[in-house]
Amino acid sequence: MAQIINGKAVSLAERERITKETEELFSKYGRRPGLAVIIVGEDPASKVYVANKEKGCQEVGFYSELYRLPEDTQMPELLSLIEKLNNDDKINGILCQLPLPKHLNEEEVILAINPNKDVDAFHPVNTGKIMIGNHSFLPCTPAGVMKLIESTGTDISGKECVVIGRSNIVGKPQAMLLLQANGTVTICHSRTKNLKEVTRRADILVVAIGKADFITGDMVKEGAVVIDVGMNRRADGKLTGDVDFESCEKVASYITPVPGGVGPMTITMLLENTLTAFKNTL
Ligand code: NAP
């Protein structure tokens, strides 16, 4: 039976460290890290994420600003808000919650954020830096996954690492971070043939597909570390991952639950990035 990786506990320990450092910096410089969060429209999931980000800021003692813009906001308004925040010294991190309403251009929005304040690490300057291993910020979810793997004491070096999913937000940067940790990395996607053959090779399996309970125990190598990034709503409203927990926990050595695994880490890594952005200005 696998040991369960407690994302809440790992996240709490990280937040305690961030809180302590924030207080130390405040007593030395009289300033706090500042995060501005922008949400456009009424997407219910986005509203929950944004509320949790605000709460996270309060918990660790950050200064925060929340901008709720109406659904019909146009690009010039959004870009001028970003420009204002780019030039505001109180703000070290700017986050525009995605997805944006269809009429807005996400790529243009990402490009408008000053890369030094891009705490989501979505700007091409930051994704490029991750590629060459000289990063300021790591994208939040993949960085959280790395902390969770680290918490198991697993040495990634030389291990077979399989990432399922190749999105710009999770799969691709995840593969890059595992590679930088000297893993032997394979990326799978919807066109991968014989997925099961590939996943059964994995010592470390990171799943970010967006399909409920897709990975079953027969697809997992005995003793593998299984990290489930997926967040899917079942018909009864319950949250579930991409990994069928019941069958996989019988085979894996470590496994993350959903909820309570990767989810709590993502916002914590956002706070970590905001702290880094602040420290970069000192
Ligand atoms: P995405 O952009 O939809 O990407 C999904 C990936 O899965 C794609 O690369 C797709 O391949 C691949 N895929 C789809 N069906 C597949 C199949 N049958 N076999 C193999 N690969 C398949 O999703 P995402 O943004 O990366 O998110 C993935 C999941 O993570 C979602 O459930 C999301 O809610 C969750 N998530 C959680 C957090 C968190 O904080 N816990 C953060 C971000 C995302 P193609 O490229 O070929 O289409």
Side-chain angles (χ1 to χ4, degrees), residues 2 16 25 38 42 59 74 97 101 119 133 137 139 144 151 154 187 198 218 227-228 233 238 252-253:
E16 280 170 2
L25 289 167
I38 305 169
E42 299 293 326
E59 261 176 48
Q74 299 301 311
Q97 186 66 43
V119 283
F137 311 117
S151 78
T154 305
I187 307 175
V198 184
D218 58 320
I227 308 285
D228 187 356
R233 286 271 164 213
K238 279 201 180 139
S253 59

Side-chain angles (χ1 to χ4, degrees), residues 8 14 16 27 34 47 61 76 84-85 122-123 127 130 144 175 187 206 212 218 233 255 269 271 274 282:
K8 278 189 195 155
E14 292 291 327
E16 280 170 2
S27 33
K47 279 168 128 175
K84 179 180 89 90
L85 296 169
F122 291 165
H123 193 290
T127 52
I130 291 156
I187 307 175
V206 181
D218 58 320
R233 286 271 164 213
I255 190 166
M269 293 298 101
L271 300 172
T274 307
L282 297 175

Side-chain angles (χ1 to χ4, degrees), residues 159-176:
K159 297 273 170 20
E160 287 279 347
C161 304
V162 173
V163 178
I164 318 183
R166 56 174 164 179
S167 70
N168 290 331
I169 294 174
V170 189
K172 280 185 207 160
Q174 188 67 69
M176 212 42 67

Side-chain angles (χ1 to χ4, degrees), residues 49 140-142 164-171 187-192 195 207-212 214-215 228-232 240-242 258 261-267:
Y49 296 144
C140 302
T141 301
I164 318 183
R166 56 174 164 179
S167 70
N168 290 331
I169 294 174
V170 189
I187 307 175
C188 300
H189 45 78
S190 66
R191 314 286 172 90
T192 299
L195 183 66
V207 189
I209 310 175
K211 289 191 173 155
F214 184 85
I215 298 294
D228 187 356
V229 181
M231 288 205 299
N232 313 290
T240 184
D242 291 346
V258 177
V262 176
M265 292 303 293
T266 297
I267 295 180

Side-chain angles (χ1 to χ4, degrees), residues 192-201 216 218-220:
T192 299
K193 296 210 167 67
N194 305 322
L195 183 66
K196 184 170 157 181
E197 267 177 35
V198 184
T199 58
R200 281 186 65 87
R201 289 207 305 262
T216 44
D218 58 320
M219 300 172 81
V220 173

Side-chain angles (χ1 to χ4, degrees), residues 96-118:
C96 187
Q97 186 66 43
L98 303 180
L100 289 169
K102 292 265 178 299
H103 67 280
L104 297 173
N105 182 335
E106 283 187 2
E107 207 181 321
E108 217 182 311
V109 169
I110 289 169
L111 283 173
I113 296 173
N114 178 341
N116 297 327
K117 297 190 177 190
D118 168 41

Side-chain angles (χ1 to χ4, degrees), residues 8-24 56 59-60 268 271-272 275:
K8 278 189 195 155
V10 178
S11 170
L12 189 67
E14 292 291 327
R15 285 192 195 196
E16 280 170 2
R17 180 184 52 75
I18 294 169
T19 307
K20 190 165 170 276
E21 203 174 340
T22 300
E23 287 318 312
E24 283 166 6
E59 261 176 48
V60 299
T268 300
L271 300 172
E272 169 81 32
L275 178 62

